[in-house]
Amino acid sequence: MSTGFLFQALVFMGASIVLVPIAKKIGLSSVLGYLVAGILIGPFVLGFVGENGQDIMHASEFGVVMMLFLIGLELNPRKFWEMRKAILGLGGLQVAGTTVLLFISFLLMKWQWEMALAVALAFSMSSTAIVLQTLKEKNISRTIAGEASFSVLLFQDIAVIPILALLPLLGTPHAGAETHASLFSEQPAWIQAISVFVVVGLILLIGKFLVVPFLRFVSKSQMRELFVAAALFIVVGVAALMQAVGLSPALGTFLAGMVLANTEFRHELESDIEPFKGLLLGLFFVSVGATIDFD
């Protein structure tokens, strides 16, 4: 059986087209449909997914990146400021409460405090992709519960910045450990921590003083496909910059989206990115299901 990239992509999309409508028909979330589709084509059931399955998963991760970019576009700084009490109150309580509770539990299990804190911080996070997709499908995004959930997710996305700055200070590299190369991976921990905030500030400055003039220049061509390419260029470029310094690409595009939320290009960027986001996000969920190791 062929295991080439095109065959793998065909299997992924075909499984989605069949399983997601069935899941919706019986009242389940489309996310569950995507995950079940991935499980069925994965190595533990039909075995359609070969070594190229990881390639598709890496490509489809841009669905999550684009989703955070669109969230940023919808959340201009003024609205963000109006939500500050809910974000800091509910979000801060959730992250702090979960972290403290798990940290104490791990200490009682005789874990080292560095490991206990790192794992507790990780478990205080949620999957923004899954939660927002579920809220949207159930039409509760604009309800009190939906807005409260969004506030918590938003605080988590922001909390990632200091958490990622803290982790290098907690870690102690050892021989045989798997590391992901970045521009600052060989530098002392304090330099890695400072680089987090420097890159975030750089993205905010680039978005305000370079991206908007760039989009105005492209829009003068009056070619829709060129503007689509420019929108994708911005998203991929910011993601690449964040990844180069060892940070979350989705977080960077979220910040870039917030910078562009008050510009005249907001709605055009949303309409251009939305189709790519929907397709890649679905493939991402299928990829997650296909890579579940039941053993």
Side-chain angles (χ1 to χ4, degrees):
M1 181 179 294
S2 172
T3 57
F5 182 84
L6 290 179
F7 178 78
Q8 297 283 312
L10 183 67
V11 170
F12 272 62
M13 290 187 288
S16 304
I17 294 171
V18 173
L19 269 299
V20 172
I22 294 177
K24 296 289 289 183
K25 188 72 173 178
I26 60 178
L28 298 177
S29 167
S30 66
V31 174
L32 287 176
Y34 285 121
L35 292 174
V36 171
I39 292 172
L40 289 178
I41 66 176
F44 292 94
V45 184
L46 299 178
F48 285 146
V49 176
E51 59 184 9
N52 289 324
Q54 287 290 341
D55 297 335
I56 294 178
M57 183 171 186
H58 292 321
S60 62
E61 284 174 354
F62 271 103
V64 180
V65 171
M66 292 177 178
M67 182 191 67
L68 266 295
F69 180 72
L70 291 175
I71 292 174
L73 283 176
E74 295 176 359
L75 191 70
N76 58 57
R78 180 180 301 175
K79 185 177 179 181
F80 181 82
W81 181 252
E82 292 175 353
M83 296 176 61
R84 67 190 184 280
K85 292 183 180 179
I87 294 172
L88 295 176
L90 291 174
L93 182 62
Q94 182 272 319
V95 172
T98 304
T99 301
V100 170
L101 181 63
L102 291 176
F103 178 67
I104 295 174
S105 301
F106 294 144
L107 288 180
L108 294 176
M109 295 167 61
K110 308 300 182 183
W111 286 24
Q112 294 181 351
W113 74 268
E114 296 93 345
M115 181 187 300
L117 180 57
V119 176
L121 287 170
F123 273 107
S124 70
M125 299 290 105
S126 308
S127 172
T128 304
I130 292 179
V131 176
L132 288 182
Q133 183 75 7
T134 303
L135 293 176
K136 180 180 178 181
E137 289 180 3
K138 296 183 178 297
N139 294 320
I140 58 176
S141 299
R142 303 298 180 183
T143 64
I144 296 177
E147 292 181 355
S149 300
F150 179 71
S151 298
V152 173
L153 291 171
L154 197 54
F155 183 87
Q156 291 177 355
D157 290 333
I158 298 171
V160 167
I161 300 175
I163 289 175
L164 289 178
L166 176 64
L167 288 180
L169 302 177
L170 297 176
T172 52
H174 56 85
E178 182 181 355
T179 58
H180 299 278
S182 68
L183 294 178
F184 301 99
S185 58
E186 302 298 328
Q187 301 298 323
W190 66 272
I191 293 182
Q192 296 184 43
I194 293 176
S195 69
V196 173
F197 298 98
V198 172
V199 171
V200 168
L202 183 63
I203 288 177
L204 296 177
L205 291 175
I206 291 175
K208 185 173 182 180
F209 296 106
L210 293 180
V211 173
V212 174
F214 168 69
L215 290 175
R216 287 173 181 161
F217 171 76
V218 173
S219 64
K220 290 180 181 179
S221 67
Q222 297 183 345
M223 296 176 62
R224 175 67 185 274
E225 63 273 17
L226 197 60
F227 195 89
V228 173
L232 293 175
F233 176 81
I234 293 170
V235 173
V236 176
V238 172
L241 177 61
M242 295 292 282
Q243 199 168 48
V245 295
L247 298 179
S248 166
L251 177 63
T253 52
F254 169 74
L255 295 174
M258 280 190 63
V259 174
L260 297 172
N262 284 329
T263 67
E264 65 268 32
F265 303 107
R266 170 189 169 184
H267 298 294
E268 195 168 359
L269 286 169
E270 284 179 337
S271 62
D272 289 340
I273 296 294
E274 182 68 35
F276 296 97
K277 184 269 292 183
L279 175 61
L280 292 176
L281 197 60
L283 290 178
F284 171 74
F285 290 132
V286 178
S287 302
V288 171
T291 54
I292 294 176
D293 188 342
F294 288 95
D295 288 339

